Amino acid sequence: MKLEELNIEQIMKKLEEDEVVANELDKKRSVLAQEQTRIFSEYLKKLLPALEFIKNKGYYFKHPVIDYVSQGGPILDYNRDENCLFVYNLSEKRVKQFSLYNNKEAGTVVLNHHFFMAHDFETALQGLLHPLNVQAEFIKDCQKEIDKRESLIEQYKNL
């Protein structure tokens, strides 16, 4: 665009209009993140006894799309840029951030709408729900191993 084609009044009017829309959308996004926080908290409250049972029985917490495990509680998210994992620590009843560079705690995160502004709601919810399948997965894996061992015993016992 050439200098003589620039109309600063039109540009300013468009910027002001866009600012109004941007502010409205930002407010709506924040309200939706607050609703996601409320829903997540309800799931967490309801699932807490089951999650504590899983932890107390010594099972690891896995996530269906994040390739890490946790002993302390459900994995809620992973940040590739910072190489850190977000875990709901069942003992402390709060979200902990762990650096995977040194396997150390990198801080505590408040589970509020700011968390869901920065992290994916569905990923976090999957982290709460997936551990409910840990025993079924363990049973399936054990049965496969038993079947394989029995088959090998049958195959080699008469040599």
Side-chain angles (χ1 to χ4, degrees):
M1 184 175 282
K2 295 181 181 178
L3 183 59
E4 59 271 3
E5 294 174 356
L6 290 176
N7 182 333
I8 194 63
E9 290 82 19
Q10 275 185 322
I11 292 170
M12 291 306 297
K13 183 179 178 189
K14 175 73 171 134
L15 288 172
E16 288 173 8
E17 290 170 355
D18 287 351
E19 183 64 15
V20 169
V21 172
N23 286 335
E24 288 173 2
L25 292 174
D26 190 47
K27 285 178 190 173
K28 183 171 184 172
R29 183 176 62 161
S30 182
V31 167
L32 293 172
Q34 288 172 356
E35 179 64 8
Q36 288 176 327
T37 303
R38 186 191 65 73
I39 291 168
F40 183 87
S41 296
E42 287 180 13
Y43 270 89
L44 179 60
K45 183 178 177 183
K46 191 160 194 166
L47 293 172
L48 205 52
L51 296 170
E52 287 174 338
F53 177 88
I54 291 165
K55 180 182 186 285
N56 292 337
K57 293 298 179 182
Y59 291 102
Y60 287 100
F61 290 86
K62 297 178 183 178
H63 193 285
V65 297
I66 299 171
D67 196 25
Y68 291 99
V69 296
S70 163
Q71 290 180 303
I75 297 169
L76 304 181
D77 203 5
Y78 170 70
N79 181 318
R80 275 192 211 317
D81 296 334
E82 297 178 17
N83 196 30
C84 62
L85 205 56
F86 294 86
V87 174
Y88 185 82
N89 184 297
L90 289 165
S91 300
E92 297 183 31
K93 306 288 188 271
R94 59 185 55 196
V95 178
K96 296 286 190 171
Q97 180 179 348
F98 293 93
S99 170
L100 298 176
Y101 290 120
N102 59 14
N103 290 325
K104 296 200 177 183
E105 184 179 322
T108 300
V109 179
V110 178
L111 189 58
N112 60 18
H113 78 283
H114 295 292
F115 180 82
F116 289 108
M117 292 289 282
H119 302 276
D120 185 66
F121 172 72
E122 188 173 27
T123 300
L125 206 50
Q126 287 173 340
L128 279 187
L129 296 170
H130 187 72
L132 303 177
N133 301 317
V134 69
Q135 287 179 315
E137 289 175 10
F138 181 78
I139 290 167
K140 181 180 163 189
D141 291 344
C142 279
Q143 190 59 55
K144 279 173 59 176
E145 186 177 335
I146 288 168
D147 293 347
K148 182 177 179 180
R149 288 175 186 268
E150 287 176 343
S151 174
L152 289 171
I153 288 171
E154 277 302 311
Q155 183 179 346
Y156 294 106
K157 76 177 180 183
N158 293 325
L159 289 180

